[in-house]
Amino acid sequence: MLFLDKLEHTNDLTENEQRIATYIKDNLASVSEMSIQNLAAETYTSHSAIVRFAQKMNYDGYRSMRHDIIKAAQQQLSQLNDVDANFPFSEADTAIDVAKNIADLTINTVKKALTQLDEKSLAEAANKIVRSKRLVLFAFGDTQIRARSFQNKLVKINRFAILAEEYGDDSWTSVSLNSDDLAIFISYGGDSKQYLKIIRFLNKQKVPTLLITGNPDSKLKTFATQTILIVQDEYNFFKVSTFASQITFEYLLDTLFSIVYSKAYKDNLINLQNNYDKLTQNNILTT
């Protein structure tokens, strides 16, 4: 029987033992790191009271009971809870509560994103990246941070992407593109008027485009060559932060990079080794 089940089904507890049981249940993570003296102090009981409680729970003593408390705390941390993507924590949450909620939100968000992806769409997007002569990323605000991370990864496989808004030149960048290039628009809301103008223009110029968005009603979809739509439970404005959308973008861009990498896996590994050798032989790597 698991520790929490034992705790729930142990009868005939004294008032002191009931207080110990309640405290352990409400503070499982912190109790897992407590000595018997600390637990006695926190529950206003004694060393001997803790031992008697452990024995009533069918343990030899506190040490063997604490072993199961540690396992129960680890199991509790690994259990996923539904977390509001817009307000994943409250002022009443402890530091570990916040950490647990953000972990749950991250895992739930990635799992929800995965269920909305399909093999054909991922392969098509990766092939567009591989075939493109030039790769231009349209992203601003928080999303541009994700785009920069993607840009940084691509450098490792000799793919050099351009951030269209780097110097506020997204319009000039767009008019230089042609059918050999690929423009990737990363926008969760998918409602930027400037992006709509640009993607409509690129559509007329037969420039391949990939739209990554969370808005099924985005007007940009009409003009995009391909759209990857991943919807999360995130509001446009009324929220603590853009947790879910940015987790989604990071996950999807990491996935696309990995697929592209895998298409020339051995060559990329050889290139990695060659570049490393050049860096070390020429004393370029910083230590």
Side-chain angles (χ1 to χ4, degrees), residues 155-166:
V155 170
K156 308 301 191 300
I157 56 173
N158 292 330
R159 296 286 299 170
F160 297 91
I162 301 166
L163 285 170
E165 284 100 342
E166 184 85 63

Side-chain angles (χ1 to χ4, degrees), residues 68-278:
D68 275 6
I69 291 174
I70 292 171
K71 288 200 298 185
Q74 291 171 341
Q75 291 166 350
Q76 189 178 71
L77 282 173
S78 66
Q79 291 175 349
L80 298 180
N81 297 317
D82 289 331
V83 180
D84 185 343
N86 304 287
F87 299 93
F89 53 84
S90 70
E91 61 181 354
D93 287 335
T94 65
I96 196 65
D97 288 337
V98 173
K100 176 69 162 59
N101 288 349
I102 296 300
D104 288 349
L105 175 61
T106 300
I107 296 169
N108 289 337
T109 297
V110 170
K111 286 187 173 182
K112 185 171 182 178
L114 176 60
T115 62
Q116 298 176 68
L117 295 175
D118 65 86
E119 174 76 24
K120 183 179 178 181
S121 181
L122 287 173
E124 182 182 348
N127 286 333
K128 283 185 172 68
I129 294 172
V130 171
R131 291 194 303 263
S132 65
K133 183 177 180 180
R134 291 178 297 181
L135 186 62
V136 180
L137 308 175
F138 289 83
F140 58 85
D142 292 344
T143 303
Q144 192 176 102
I145 299 172
R146 312 284 87 76
R148 287 182 181 276
S149 175
F150 185 52
Q151 179 191 43
N152 178 262
K153 291 181 178 70
L154 289 170
V155 170
K156 308 301 191 300
I157 56 173
N158 292 330
R159 296 286 299 170
F160 297 91
I162 301 166
L163 285 170
E165 284 100 342
E166 184 85 63
Y167 302 108
D169 285 342
D170 55 346
S171 299
W172 283 101
T173 300
S174 64
V175 297
S176 71
L177 300 179
N178 57 52
S179 59
D180 293 327
D181 303 320
L182 174 65
I184 300 180
F185 291 81
I186 311 169
S187 173
Y188 189 74
D191 54 4
S192 166
K193 292 181 180 179
Q194 177 67 359
Y195 280 3
L196 182 58
K197 292 178 183 178
I198 292 173
I199 201 168
R200 183 189 287 124
F201 167 77
L202 294 177
N203 179 270
K204 289 180 180 178
Q205 300 301 311
K206 307 299 182 183
V207 177
T209 55
L210 169 63
L211 170 64
I212 300 174
T213 186
N215 181 7
D217 300 317
S218 171
K219 293 180 180 178
L220 277 66
K221 286 176 56 182
T222 304
F223 303 98
T225 308
Q226 180 188 357
T227 298
I228 296 181
L229 175 67
I230 300 179
V231 181
Q232 299 287 353
D233 300 321
E234 182 176 285
Y235 302 143
N236 282 336
F237 300 105
F238 194 61
K239 56 193 172 188
V240 171
S241 186
T242 55
F243 290 119
S245 58
Q246 298 312 308
I247 291 167
T248 297
F249 288 146
E250 187 80 22
Y251 166 67
L252 180 54
L253 292 173
D254 281 352
T255 298
L256 288 175
F257 167 76
S258 300
I259 296 170
V260 170
Y261 193 107
S262 68
K263 287 181 176 296
Y265 192 81
K266 289 183 179 179
D267 289 341
N268 285 324
L269 287 182
I270 292 170
N271 182 63
L272 174 65
Q273 182 63 57
N274 289 339
N275 286 342
Y276 178 77
D277 291 342
K278 291 176 185 177

